[in-house]
């Protein structure tokens, strides 16, 4: 069964560094999302992406963050100048159509030291 | 602002018991509602999606109901098994006329099924 994949599974970085989290959505899906979950807290929406542009973003998704679909298969989240509070599990998700079921990847655990 | 609440926060039951997990949301103008399962340190596995026009959805031992007007959904698990132990998350997608993309999540119910 097709699934969303994410790499790396765990990323450790120093405060102030830039990280890129990678996702490969399900191949025939058209809508892509990033969410994050700080330890012990709710899963929070960051951004959605469709037709090569951001379709919606949360107040969390400020200038520190950016997303890109560099080719036909990958979807990336870049976090510039990481802060301690960016430490969280980051999930990528995709859907075939706008209102369809969202399928999530296994997540990347980001630890900022 | 949409708020999703799940009760109880934790539930422990003996194997074989039927159980109900509850989810409530503050804004009834939703497009759909999705139930997920999350194992410790893992990703989210989609269990069921209910569209706003539907009353319930079934998959195997799982049955999810939706009462949109009262802002409630329940997940019924029949004949629970130790392998059902996980955190169950409820998430809603608001009906914003096609401009809303995000899911808003509850904090989840941690289910433990004891052998």
């Amino acid at each position: 069964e097709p699934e969303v994949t994410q790499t790396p599974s765990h990323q450790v970085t120093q405060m102030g560094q830039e990280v890129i989290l990678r996702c490969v959505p399900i191949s025939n899906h058209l809508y892509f999302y990033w969410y994050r979950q700080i330890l012990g807290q709710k899963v929070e929406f960051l951004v959605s992406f469709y037709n090569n542009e951001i379709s919606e973003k949360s107040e969390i998704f400020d200038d520190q963050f950016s997303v890109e679909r560099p080719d036909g298969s990958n979807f990336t989240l870049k976090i510039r100048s990481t802060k301690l509070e960016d430490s969280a599990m980051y999930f990528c998700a995709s859907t075939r159509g706008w209102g369809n079921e969202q399928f999530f990847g296994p997540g990347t655990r980001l630890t900022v030291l | 602002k949409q708020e999703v609440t799940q009760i109880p926060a934790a539930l422990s039951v003996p194997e074989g018991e039927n159980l109900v997990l509850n989810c409530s949301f503050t804004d009834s103008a939703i497009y759909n509602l999705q139930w997920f399962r999350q194992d410790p340190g893992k990703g989210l596995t989609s269990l069921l999606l209910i569209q706003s026009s539907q009353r319930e959805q079934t998959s195997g031992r799982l049955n999810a109901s939706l009462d949109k007007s009262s802002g409630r959904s329940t997940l019924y698990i029949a004949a629970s098994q130790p392998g059902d132990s996980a955190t169950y998350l409820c998430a809603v997608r608001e009906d914003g006329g096609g401009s809303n993309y995000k899911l808003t999540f509850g904090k989840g119910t941690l289910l433990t099924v004891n052998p």
Side-chain angles (χ1 to χ4, degrees):
Chain A
E1 186 172 324
E3 57 183 21
V4 177
T5 60
Q6 291 185 243
T7 55
S9 57
H10 191 191
Q11 173 94 47
V12 180
T13 190
Q14 295 292 325
M15 191 168 53
Q17 296 298 304
E18 175 182 287
V19 296
I20 297 176
L21 310 183
R22 291 183 166 80
C23 168
V24 178
I26 295 173
S27 63
N28 63 348
H29 283 191
L30 302 175
Y31 295 78
F32 314 113
Y33 312 83
W34 285 101
Y35 291 81
R36 79 174 184 189
Q37 185 177 34
I38 296 170
L39 189 63
Q41 298 188 24
K42 294 182 178 183
V43 176
E44 303 174 285
F45 169 79
L46 293 177
V47 66
S48 61
F49 192 85
Y50 169 70
N51 201 25
N52 279 320
E53 62 182 25
I54 291 173
S55 45
E56 186 180 6
K57 61 182 180 179
S58 71
E59 59 274 12
I60 302 169
F61 194 90
D62 58 20
D63 292 343
Q64 186 193 2
F65 296 88
S66 61
V67 289
E68 191 179 29
R69 187 153 164 85
D71 52 44
S73 59
N74 290 283
F75 180 51
T76 62
L77 174 68
K78 182 187 290 186
I79 309 175
R80 288 178 283 272
S81 190
T82 50
K83 308 170 198 167
L84 295 175
E85 54 265 38
D86 294 327
S87 294
M89 190 76 125
Y90 288 80
F91 294 109
C92 173
S94 68
T95 60
R96 178 73 179 97
W98 172 80
N100 295 152
E101 190 174 4
Q102 291 196 19
F103 292 92
F104 282 68
T108 293
R109 180 170 299 285
L110 176 65
T111 301
V112 182
L113 302 176
Chain B
K1 181 186 173 188
Q2 180 75 266
E3 294 286 342
V4 179
T5 303
Q6 292 188 245
I7 294 172
L11 181 64
S12 181
V13 300
E15 182 177 2
E17 195 161 294
N18 302 326
L19 58 100
V20 174
L21 307 180
N22 297 291
C23 171
S24 61
F25 44 94
T26 54
D27 187 342
S28 62
I30 65 166
Y31 186 81
N32 58 35
L33 182 146
Q34 200 166 346
W35 281 94
F36 295 88
R37 169 189 172 131
Q38 184 176 31
D39 293 285
K42 303 291 186 182
L44 281 64
T45 301
S46 179
L47 298 173
L48 289 163
L49 173 74
I50 311 180
Q51 301 294 348
S52 61
S53 57
Q54 297 177 311
R55 296 286 293 183
E56 63 179 63
Q57 278 283 0
T58 299
S59 175
R61 294 183 293 109
L62 305 180
N63 176 278
S65 69
L66 175 64
D67 184 344
K68 184 181 160 186
S69 60
S70 67
R72 295 174 192 272
S73 176
T74 62
L75 180 66
Y76 174 83
I77 302 177
S80 58
Q81 303 170 357
D84 294 331
S85 297
T87 297
Y88 289 80
L89 301 175
C90 166
V92 300
R93 182 188 212 129
E94 294 179 41
D95 186 357
S99 62
N100 285 2
Y101 296 80
K102 69 180 181 187
L103 291 178
T104 301
F105 283 81
K107 202 167 181 185
T109 293
L110 175 61
L111 173 66
T112 303
V113 181
N114 301 300

